[in-house]
Amino acid sequence: MSSSSCVSGNYYRRHLNAERRMPKQCWCVFVEEVEDIKSVISGMNKDISELRLNVARLEKEIEELKMESERKGDKCMSQGRFLRNVVVSGVGMAILCYYYFFA
């Protein structure tokens, strides 16, 4: 960058500041505040990405728990059917014995 463009750039900035009627100190404070906000936003972005990872991990864990509960539910259903069959067979045998011995 040539020195004349730097001078004209500085002139432009000074002219712009004069139009806005803001002293250079105000602009320096403003720039510092913007830098502080940038660091806060950067920290928030890190927190958001960490939160997304945690949500993904929890979703995976929920899916695993659903699959496990479905497997346990199927097992309970099969055990319930077995128990029902045993009870029905026992009642059937009791009826047969009653008619055989007492009828």
Side-chain angles (χ1 to χ4, degrees):
M1 185 179 236
S2 69
S3 63
S4 64
S5 64
C6 287
V7 171
S8 64
N10 288 336
Y11 172 77
Y12 177 74
R13 274 188 242 118
R14 278 186 275 142
H15 180 67
L16 195 60
N17 287 343
E19 282 182 6
R20 293 181 182 154
R21 301 187 193 280
M22 292 186 76
K24 186 176 181 179
Q25 293 87 5
C26 289
W27 283 107
C28 292
V29 170
F30 179 72
V31 169
E32 288 173 3
E33 292 296 322
V34 168
E35 292 298 322
D36 291 343
I37 291 172
K38 283 182 181 179
S39 67
V40 168
I41 291 174
S42 174
M44 290 171 68
N45 286 338
K46 289 177 186 176
D47 291 342
I48 289 170
S49 62
E50 184 177 321
L51 181 64
R52 285 182 178 161
L53 290 174
N54 287 338
V55 167
R57 183 182 50 82
L58 289 173
E59 286 175 344
K60 183 179 176 184
E61 190 173 330
I62 287 171
E63 287 301 318
E64 289 174 358
L65 289 172
K66 281 182 183 178
M67 295 294 287
E68 185 177 337
S69 69
E70 286 176 4
R71 278 185 257 128
K72 285 184 178 181
D74 291 341
K75 185 177 179 181
C76 285
M77 290 294 287
S78 66
Q79 288 176 349
R81 287 185 198 114
F82 176 75
L83 184 59
R84 182 193 66 204
N85 291 340
V86 168
V87 170
V88 168
S89 298
V91 170
M93 292 294 284
I95 291 172
L96 283 174
C97 288
Y98 176 77
Y99 281 115
Y100 181 74
F101 291 112
F102 299 111

